[in-house]
């Protein structure tokens, strides 16, 4: 092969490598919580939740028909901010460090990981 062809092929390969998007960032681990429904006390969790993305807890998303979730237990490697309203609206109620939990007095409907 000629040097110009080799250089051109190498440049194309490098361009392709740079164009591939990086994988989405996620918190590693589980975020656990408790909520009540018509059947009583239930336990939920988010496995490896996305970082920098608001996650509304589906079981308690509607303030008109459900009570908020409570007892957040952040077993991930990222900090988490919990919000009383869906869609991370308003000011965060609390921030949980990685590998920490809060009491049942902490109520929330959505969470965002750092």
């Amino acid at each position: 092969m000629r040097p110009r062809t080799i250089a051109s092929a190498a440049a194309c390969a490098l361009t392709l490598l740079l164009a591939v998007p990086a994988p989405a960032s996620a918190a590693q681990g589980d975020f656990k919580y408790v909520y009540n429904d018509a059947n009583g006390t239930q336990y939920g969790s988010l496995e490896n939740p996305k970082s920098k993305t608001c996650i509304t807890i589906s079981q308690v998303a509607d303030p008109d028909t459900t009570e908020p979730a409570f007892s957040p237990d952040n077993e991930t490697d990222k900090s988490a901010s919990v919000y009383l309203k869906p869609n991370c609206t308003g000011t965060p109620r609390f921030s949980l460090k990685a590998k920490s939990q809060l009491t049942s007095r902490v109520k929330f409907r959505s969470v965002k990981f750092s």
Side-chain angles (χ1 to χ4, degrees):
M1 290 175 90
R2 295 194 289 170
R4 187 181 298 177
T5 305
I6 293 172
S8 177
C12 288
L14 180 60
T15 301
L16 285 174
L17 284 175
L18 294 176
V20 174
S25 177
Q28 298 299 307
D30 292 334
F31 179 82
K32 298 178 181 180
Y33 54 91
V34 182
Y35 65 97
N36 291 313
D37 66 10
N39 297 317
T41 302
Q42 306 295 324
Y43 298 88
S45 68
L46 303 171
E47 183 178 327
N48 300 325
K50 288 184 182 179
S51 296
K52 302 186 185 334
T53 301
C54 179
I55 301 169
T56 297
I57 306 300
S58 61
Q59 298 95 337
V60 298
D62 187 351
D64 294 331
T65 60
T66 61
E67 293 295 317
F70 54 95
S71 299
D73 183 3
N74 185 13
E75 296 179 3
T76 74
D77 61 349
K78 306 272 185 177
S79 63
S81 296
V82 294
Y83 297 78
L84 183 57
K85 297 180 181 178
N87 304 314
C88 300
T89 305
T91 305
R93 295 277 305 207
F94 289 95
S95 183
L96 291 84
K97 294 179 182 179
K99 310 293 184 198
S100 67
Q101 64 186 47
L102 295 174
T103 70
S104 61
R105 292 186 296 169
V106 176
K107 313 287 187 203
F108 64 100
R109 293 184 190 277
S110 55
V111 60
K112 184 185 285 188
F113 295 86
S114 63

